[in-house]
Amino acid sequence: MEIGFIGLGHMGFPMVANLLANGYAVRVYDTSDAAVAKAVEQGAMAAQSLIDLTQSADAIITMLPTPAVVRSVLCVPGGVIANAKQNALIIDCSTSDPQTAVEVEALGAVAGKIVLDAPVSGGVLGAKAGTLTFMVGGSKDGFLLAKSILSAMGKNIVHCGAAGSGQAAKLCNNLLLGVSTVAVSESMCLGASLGLEPEVLAQIINTSSGRCWVSELYNPYPGVVKDAPASNNFAGGFACDLMIKDLSLALDAAHGTRQPLPMTSVSKQLFQLLSHQGHGDKDISAIVEMFKK
Amino acid sequence: MEIGFIGLGHMGFPMVANLLANGYAVRVYDTSDAAVAKAVEQGAMAAQSLIDLTQSADAIITMLPTPAVVRSVLCVPGGVIANAKQNALIIDCSTSDPQTAVEVEALGAVAGKIVLDAPVSGGVLGAKAGTLTFMVGGSKDGFLLAKSILSAMGKNIVHCGAAGSGQAAKLCNNLLLGVSTVAVSESMCLGASLGLEPEVLAQIINTSSGRCWVSELYNPYPGVVKDAPASNNFAGGFACDLMIKDLSLALDAAHGTRQPLPMTSVSKQLFQLLSHQGHGDKDISAIVEMFKK
Amino acid sequence: MEIGFIGLGHMGFPMVANLLANGYAVRVYDTSDAAVAKAVEQGAMAAQSLIDLTQSADAIITMLPTPAVVRSVLCVPGGVIANAKQNALIIDCSTSDPQTAVEVEALGAVAGKIVLDAPVSGGVLGAKAGTLTFMVGGSKDGFLLAKSILSAMGKNIVHCGAAGSGQAAKLCNNLLLGVSTVAVSESMCLGASLGLEPEVLAQIINTSSGRCWVSELYNPYPGVVKDAPASNNFAGGFACDLMIKDLSLALDAAHGTRQPLPMTSVSKQLFQLLSHQGHGDKDISAIVEMFKK
Amino acid sequence: MEIGFIGLGHMGFPMVANLLANGYAVRVYDTSDAAVAKAVEQGAMAAQSLIDLTQSADAIITMLPTPAVVRSVLCVPGGVIANAKQNALIIDCSTSDPQTAVEVEALGAVAGKIVLDAPVSGGVLGAKAGTLTFMVGGSKDGFLLAKSILSAMGKNIVHCGAAGSGQAAKLCNNLLLGVSTVAVSESMCLGASLGLEPEVLAQIINTSSGRCWVSELYNPYPGVVKDAPASNNFAGGFACDLMIKDLSLALDAAHGTRQPLPMTSVSKQLFQLLSHQGHGDKDISAIVEMFKK
């Protein structure tokens, strides 16, 4: 079985490496020749063109930066959906928006291809370790076909529901991550300003009703969690500008369903202020610097 | 050893019951005669007056509704600090503000009494079960004296630091609880509007970076957590108006240290909107009703 | 000189009437036959098709509901830009977004047509009275050509700058209108809750630094301004859902230039909460109902 | 008629100068001897003590920094209300909170003194020019007595209603000023980021529905209004930290009447962020720096 993989960025490259390590034949495509060459070094085959990859592969995985790029690769006349083999499995792992996923999958169905949305969580570290979570939207049958492939790259493969559900679940989770990061920053900085030791405060929160993933594993107050970005000058991790992208996708999706999201909206604006001050490439926990004395 | 207990409300009454169950002699005072009578039925002694209780007890516990009431009971000429036995231990379990706690404990020190702030978390259920968390501020020596008494009413007794630290820790935790409750409501309602099954979404969040105490144990979306207030018409639990009180105390403390708290501030306003619509006595998870279709 | 007019809604119809009253020959197109028939009664000519109108007119005005519709009418192969006479003047009076305007005008330039963005303020009343303000973006030459036509429908014709500037100016103004409407509502309701007479408070504000167009002419507190929508059950005026659209366009434009807009963002969310409660078709001043006792 | 004046700060000193210029005998008191000496140079008499001033004056004006100081000067046993002449007129021009004003005036009534709250707008420039606005709360009779005295210092003397109404009106106005300052900053910076000339945008806004006192006379975008603080490095004007104080008083008053104020609350937090970054003594228009490229 040959897998076509489109998009060899920070996430795509280690995902390909794990597919290869699990014995899959992988043909790759990227607009960067250097990225392709690096994947070939790991054992991948280089596609001559997008259409070459598309016509050759049994399953195609895309890992692309924005919904617009996803549409331009999958949905145009010379694109993946039009040219893939009949009944090919097309798995879009990009973080996109539910509406795009719904439309892409409808187009796939018309063309006789099985399309799934399968955005990931776990970041670059999870991609390297093969421990990503995949949130999968699309038909149950498609999900069952995709599961073994995705298992080569992740350890938690969840079927969220119909087309678009994977994207919806990812956005719903990530807005919580965004809000929590700001809220834990506020809480820790208020505590510090009132004389509490940050370690003591974190310990109390983590055994109380304020406890969350951010307070426990990703505490934005420097020094509280040793290997968190906040203890490493806010390097690595999840860039502020990427969080702005995800919060914007959530707000756009909410606009579509006329859903109010006040806290999400304020958290986006605060990350935008941080980015505006020149810190868009720092980890999201750098928001703590807006509150810390 | 005789304990004087002042304030027999929803929290104070079961706390007294647990002190009695652990063998303490407890003398009680409340402005409600009915509340006192009920405690006497359980084995408590009724104080003739506040001053009677104060002069008789070796340790005094207060559980009062606002910082202003705390000051009026502890700090006035006829009050507890002025009239307690020399070296008496005075433990204020009310949710108050750090500044009040600092001033009350300073007054206590001048008068030769040991005063601690020891607000609780765990609610009425925790008070009944004797499983409260006590966040204690004040001297280390005072904390060690208080620990065995508090252990009769709770299972997690934490020394947070100097005077006021208990209140500070409680406010820092509770602002996170407030923000999380709104944020999880936004996330769950967005997901539902996009077609996700609430149970599936909650499961995904609870194994991802959006996970928090609220999403796991107190999910505001009706039906997701069986015994949460949201699945019981938002009855019981933590009243919206009490959350407004706690968020206001946090914002006041932040004003004092010139600390910005944007998310906390917006969450207070949203609970205020909910209360304004007539739902101030419902559980905080009722905020989900502002977002749910 | 023949003018083609596309889009005969609440705004378009009275604008056509004013063009006719000023002696212009006007050919009209709308997807609603009834709307076309009504315009013909006023003296307009009915176009057989969009392309018929396009090929016959010397100048074309569009008044359409969304940026997507604008693109579908102007930019497709069978659309207005492709088929208009050489050097035809195309004036888009729709409220759109600056990016769409820039792209549409660039396409026009390539095709040898002069395209302007010229959104309006003044509402249905201004459209009927011929007193609209037109905020015009595009070349200075184009503006000078358009000015006499627009003067038949408005009294304030402003050149804002290059392509997209008209849309930008409109969004910048309307976000202020949105924020002011909420802020005046908060101020008036706080005053009323503190015992101030609304009329007295409005008078003080209107001679002080809180003064604004909303407080003076469009006060959201019922009874303060006699002929404002707030004194007429929030009927007429500027629908909440249209304000949500404009605030969303402003936030999208800000996202494109990475500009933080925290107050704008919160005001959008509050209007979204109002719409969510079923009041999306009421005037924006209905937001006062969220704060009023 | 002798006037006692307590509080010779940036506002109090020029107010005294205007009373003297209008022929009043003025006895002054301040904790700063230098401030008293400077007023004596202008023709004022120095009080030996607060009680000396109190017992000698027919009318007493206070201009003090916080509600707590107001209470400590007016309400204590050795204070102004207890010791003023029977039927003395006591005018508190401090910006305080409505609740304090109500309590102070009730105490005055019990003691047979006429107390008014009369906070001002117009700033130091208005105090020097004698063009302040006085927003007066208290009895109609008291207002009529005070009017001629206040006219020596201001040109707009408004009776707002019963005790506390002056403070209420001031807070309601100033929250609008705070919100407008942020909102105009957002609007101007969005426009600039989209390529609009700031002067052109301001002109459009000022003839449209976004128009407000801030956009017209106090535009926060540097260079738009020549003599505004924004065109003078944000010097002079209304300090950010004073706006935080006024917004906090408004939020506290709203807390008392259970009134939601979401926009006001967010604007306070944004000024707090600005102050946190070290700009608390700059004019409020410096908030534009958070949004400007």
Side-chain angles (χ1 to χ4, degrees):
Chain A
M1 181 179 194
E2 181 182 313
I3 296 177
F5 201 107
I6 304 169
L8 300 170
H10 293 300
M11 295 296 290
F13 181 77
M15 289 165 77
V16 165
N18 277 313
L19 285 170
L20 292 167
N22 278 269
Y24 285 98
V26 187
R27 194 175 298 272
V28 299
Y29 181 79
D30 195 282
T31 54
S32 153
D33 290 342
V36 171
K38 209 172 129 202
V40 168
E41 273 176 41
Q42 304 282 318
M45 296 169 282
Q48 299 309 307
S49 65
L50 189 60
I51 215 158
D52 168 38
L53 177 147
T54 303
Q55 291 173 339
S56 168
D58 303 299
I60 295 169
I61 297 174
T62 48
M63 193 64 181
L64 300 165
T66 66
V69 176
V70 169
R71 286 174 190 261
S72 75
V73 167
L74 294 182
C75 301
V76 296
V80 169
I81 289 177
N83 297 291
K85 291 183 186 173
Q86 202 59 15
N87 289 321
L89 182 63
I90 301 168
I91 309 171
D92 181 27
C93 294
S94 322
T95 293
S96 175
D97 63 279
Q99 188 58 28
T100 291
V102 167
E103 290 173 26
V104 169
E105 291 168 51
L107 184 67
V110 167
K113 319 293 158 70
I114 303 161
V115 186
L116 302 172
D117 53 303
V120 305
S121 82
V124 173
L125 290 180
K128 286 182 179 161
T131 58
L132 293 169
T133 292
F134 287 89
M135 293 166 261
V136 186
S139 70
K140 187 77 185 174
D141 287 351
F143 171 73
L144 294 174
L145 285 171
K147 197 168 181 183
S148 61
I149 301 175
L150 297 177
S151 299
M153 302 176 286
K155 65 169 185 187
N156 197 11
I157 324 293
V158 189
H159 189 224
C160 302
S165 298
Q167 300 296 352
K170 167 136 195 201
L171 297 182
C172 290
N173 180 73
N174 280 21
L175 77 83
L176 275 173
L177 173 60
V179 172
S180 297
T181 303
V182 186
V184 175
S185 298
E186 292 187 8
S187 175
M188 294 296 300
C189 290
L190 174 61
S193 81
L194 293 168
L196 291 172
E197 288 297 326
E199 294 76 11
V200 172
L201 176 55
Q203 198 183 331
I204 292 166
I205 289 169
N206 289 338
T207 54
S208 303
S209 51
R211 158 173 75 75
C212 58
W213 185 88
V214 171
S215 67
E216 288 177 349
L217 301 179
Y218 213 78
N219 202 301
Y221 205 91
V224 170
V225 173
K226 286 248 161 51
D227 56 354
S231 302
N232 188 25
N233 284 315
F234 309 109
F238 189 178
C240 175
D241 281 344
L242 287 179
M243 177 52 88
I244 292 172
K245 177 200 158 189
D246 285 9
L247 293 171
S248 298
L249 290 172
L251 288 161
D252 286 349
H255 185 70
T257 57
R258 310 197 71 70
Q259 196 64 36
L261 292 184
M263 302 298 281
T264 306
S265 162
V266 173
S267 77
K268 178 192 158 173
Q269 294 298 324
L270 292 167
F271 284 114
Q272 193 75 76
L273 280 168
L274 185 67
S275 180
H276 196 257
Q277 291 169 6
H279 306 303
D281 57 348
K282 289 193 182 163
D283 179 70
I284 50 173
S285 56
I287 196 79
V288 79
E289 296 281 69
M290 290 188 79
F291 307 119
K292 199 160 154 276
K293 305 253 167 184
Chain B
M1 183 178 192
E2 180 180 316
I3 296 177
F5 201 106
I6 304 168
L8 300 170
H10 292 302
M11 294 295 291
F13 181 77
M15 289 166 76
V16 164
N18 277 312
L19 286 170
L20 292 167
N22 277 270
Y24 285 98
V26 187
R27 193 175 298 272
V28 299
Y29 181 79
D30 195 280
T31 52
S32 152
D33 290 343
V36 171
K38 211 173 126 202
V40 168
E41 274 176 39
Q42 303 283 318
M45 298 170 282
Q48 300 309 307
S49 65
L50 189 60
I51 216 157
D52 167 38
L53 176 149
T54 303
Q55 292 173 339
S56 166
D58 303 297
I60 295 168
I61 298 174
T62 48
M63 193 63 181
L64 301 165
T66 67
V69 176
V70 168
R71 286 175 190 262
S72 75
V73 167
L74 293 182
C75 301
V76 297
V80 168
I81 288 177
N83 297 290
K85 291 183 183 173
Q86 203 59 16
N87 291 320
L89 181 63
I90 301 167
I91 309 172
D92 180 28
C93 294
S94 322
T95 293
S96 175
D97 62 280
Q99 188 58 29
T100 291
V102 167
E103 291 173 26
V104 168
E105 291 168 49
L107 184 68
V110 168
K113 319 294 157 72
I114 303 161
V115 184
L116 303 171
D117 52 302
V120 304
S121 82
V124 173
L125 290 180
K128 285 181 180 164
T131 58
L132 294 169
T133 292
F134 287 88
M135 293 165 262
V136 186
S139 70
K140 188 77 186 176
D141 287 352
F143 172 73
L144 294 174
L145 284 171
K147 197 169 179 182
S148 61
I149 301 175
L150 298 177
S151 299
M153 300 175 286
K155 66 168 183 185
N156 197 11
I157 323 293
V158 189
H159 188 224
C160 302
S165 298
Q167 300 295 353
K170 167 136 195 198
L171 297 181
C172 290
N173 179 73
N174 279 22
L175 76 83
L176 275 173
L177 173 60
V179 172
S180 297
T181 303
V182 185
V184 175
S185 297
E186 292 188 8
S187 177
M188 294 296 300
C189 290
L190 174 61
S193 80
L194 293 168
L196 291 172
E197 288 295 325
E199 293 76 12
V200 172
L201 177 55
Q203 199 183 330
I204 292 166
I205 289 169
N206 289 338
T207 55
S208 303
S209 52
R211 158 174 75 74
C212 58
W213 184 89
V214 171
S215 67
E216 289 177 348
L217 301 179
Y218 212 79
N219 202 299
Y221 204 92
V224 171
V225 174
K226 286 249 162 48
D227 55 355
S231 302
N232 190 24
N233 284 315
F234 310 108
F238 189 0
C240 175
D241 281 344
L242 287 179
M243 177 52 86
I244 293 172
K245 176 199 162 192
D246 284 9
L247 293 171
S248 299
L249 290 172
L251 288 161
D252 286 350
H255 185 70
T257 58
R258 312 197 68 68
Q259 195 64 38
L261 292 185
M263 302 298 281
T264 307
S265 160
V266 173
S267 77
K268 176 188 160 178
Q269 294 299 324
L270 291 167
F271 285 114
Q272 192 76 75
L273 280 169
L274 186 67
S275 179
H276 195 257
Q277 291 169 6
H279 306 302
D281 58 348
K282 287 193 184 164
D283 179 69
I284 50 173
S285 56
I287 196 78
V288 79
E289 296 281 68
M290 289 187 80
F291 307 118
K292 200 158 154 281
K293 305 255 165 178
Chain C
M1 182 180 194
E2 181 182 315
I3 295 177
F5 201 106
I6 304 169
L8 301 170
H10 293 302
M11 294 296 291
F13 181 78
M15 290 165 77
V16 164
N18 278 312
L19 286 169
L20 292 166
N22 277 269
Y24 286 98
V26 187
R27 194 175 299 273
V28 299
Y29 180 80
D30 195 281
T31 53
S32 152
D33 290 342
V36 171
K38 209 173 130 202
V40 168
E41 274 176 41
Q42 304 282 318
M45 297 168 284
Q48 300 308 307
S49 64
L50 189 59
I51 215 157
D52 168 39
L53 177 148
T54 303
Q55 292 174 339
S56 167
D58 304 297
I60 295 168
I61 298 174
T62 47
M63 193 64 182
L64 300 166
T66 67
V69 176
V70 168
R71 287 174 190 261
S72 75
V73 167
L74 294 183
C75 301
V76 296
V80 168
I81 289 177
N83 297 291
K85 291 182 185 173
Q86 202 59 15
N87 290 318
L89 182 63
I90 301 167
I91 309 171
D92 181 26
C93 294
S94 322
T95 292
S96 175
D97 63 280
Q99 188 58 27
T100 291
V102 167
E103 290 173 26
V104 168
E105 292 169 48
L107 184 68
V110 168
K113 319 295 159 69
I114 304 161
V115 185
L116 302 172
D117 53 302
V120 305
S121 82
V124 173
L125 290 180
K128 286 182 179 163
T131 57
L132 293 170
T133 291
F134 287 89
M135 292 166 262
V136 186
S139 71
K140 187 76 186 177
D141 287 351
F143 172 73
L144 294 174
L145 285 171
K147 196 167 180 182
S148 61
I149 301 174
L150 298 177
S151 299
M153 301 176 287
K155 64 168 186 187
N156 197 11
I157 323 293
V158 189
H159 189 225
C160 302
S165 298
Q167 300 296 352
K170 168 136 195 199
L171 298 181
C172 290
N173 180 73
N174 279 22
L175 76 83
L176 275 173
L177 173 60
V179 172
S180 298
T181 303
V182 186
V184 175
S185 298
E186 292 186 8
S187 175
M188 294 295 301
C189 290
L190 174 60
S193 80
L194 293 168
L196 290 172
E197 288 294 327
E199 293 77 12
V200 172
L201 176 55
Q203 200 183 330
I204 292 167
I205 288 169
N206 289 338
T207 55
S208 303
S209 52
R211 157 173 76 75
C212 59
W213 185 88
V214 171
S215 68
E216 289 177 349
L217 301 178
Y218 212 80
N219 202 298
Y221 204 91
V224 170
V225 174
K226 286 249 161 50
D227 55 355
S231 302
N232 189 24
N233 283 315
F234 311 107
F238 189 0
C240 175
D241 281 343
L242 287 179
M243 177 53 87
I244 292 172
K245 177 201 160 191
D246 285 9
L247 294 171
S248 299
L249 290 172
L251 288 161
D252 286 349
H255 184 70
T257 58
R258 313 197 68 70
Q259 196 65 37
L261 292 184
M263 302 297 280
T264 307
S265 161
V266 173
S267 77
K268 177 190 158 174
Q269 294 300 325
L270 292 167
F271 285 113
Q272 194 75 78
L273 280 169
L274 185 67
S275 179
H276 195 256
Q277 291 168 6
H279 306 302
D281 58 347
K282 288 193 182 164
D283 180 69
I284 50 173
S285 56
I287 196 78
V288 78
E289 296 281 68
M290 289 187 80
F291 307 119
K292 200 160 154 276
K293 307 252 166 181
Chain D
M1 182 180 193
E2 181 182 313
I3 295 177
F5 200 107
I6 303 169
L8 300 171
H10 293 300
M11 294 296 291
F13 181 79
M15 290 166 75
V16 165
N18 277 312
L19 286 170
L20 292 167
N22 277 269
Y24 285 99
V26 186
R27 193 175 299 272
V28 299
Y29 180 79
D30 195 281
T31 53
S32 153
D33 291 341
V36 170
K38 209 172 130 202
V40 168
E41 273 175 41
Q42 303 283 316
M45 299 169 283
Q48 300 308 308
S49 65
L50 189 60
I51 216 158
D52 168 38
L53 177 148
T54 303
Q55 291 173 339
S56 167
D58 303 299
I60 295 169
I61 297 174
T62 48
M63 193 63 181
L64 300 165
T66 66
V69 177
V70 169
R71 286 175 190 262
S72 74
V73 167
L74 294 183
C75 302
V76 297
V80 169
I81 289 177
N83 297 291
K85 292 183 185 173
Q86 202 59 15
N87 290 320
L89 181 64
I90 300 168
I91 308 172
D92 179 28
C93 294
S94 322
T95 293
S96 174
D97 63 279
Q99 188 57 30
T100 291
V102 167
E103 291 173 25
V104 168
E105 291 168 49
L107 185 68
V110 167
K113 319 294 158 70
I114 304 160
V115 186
L116 302 172
D117 53 304
V120 305
S121 83
V124 173
L125 290 180
K128 286 181 179 163
T131 58
L132 292 169
T133 293
F134 287 89
M135 292 166 262
V136 186
S139 70
K140 187 78 185 173
D141 287 352
F143 171 73
L144 293 174
L145 285 170
K147 197 169 180 182
S148 61
I149 301 175
L150 297 177
S151 297
M153 301 176 287
K155 67 170 184 183
N156 197 11
I157 323 293
V158 189
H159 188 225
C160 302
S165 297
Q167 300 296 352
K170 168 137 194 199
L171 297 181
C172 290
N173 180 71
N174 280 21
L175 76 84
L176 274 174
L177 174 61
V179 172
S180 296
T181 303
V182 186
V184 175
S185 297
E186 292 186 10
S187 176
M188 294 296 300
C189 290
L190 174 61
S193 81
L194 292 168
L196 291 172
E197 288 297 325
E199 294 76 11
V200 172
L201 176 55
Q203 199 183 331
I204 292 166
I205 289 168
N206 289 338
T207 54
S208 302
S209 51
R211 159 172 75 73
C212 59
W213 184 89
V214 171
S215 67
E216 289 178 348
L217 301 178
Y218 212 78
N219 202 300
Y221 204 91
V224 170
V225 173
K226 285 248 161 49
D227 55 355
S231 301
N232 189 24
N233 284 315
F234 310 109
F238 189 0
C240 175
D241 281 343
L242 286 179
M243 177 52 87
I244 293 172
K245 175 198 161 193
D246 285 10
L247 292 171
S248 299
L249 290 172
L251 288 162
D252 287 349
H255 186 71
T257 58
R258 311 196 69 70
Q259 195 66 36
L261 292 184
M263 302 297 280
T264 306
S265 161
V266 173
S267 77
K268 178 190 159 178
Q269 294 299 324
L270 291 167
F271 284 114
Q272 193 75 75
L273 280 169
L274 186 67
S275 179
H276 195 258
Q277 290 169 6
H279 306 303
D281 57 348
K282 288 194 182 163
D283 179 69
I284 50 173
S285 56
I287 195 78
V288 79
E289 296 281 67
M290 290 188 78
F291 306 119
K292 201 158 154 279
K293 304 252 164 180

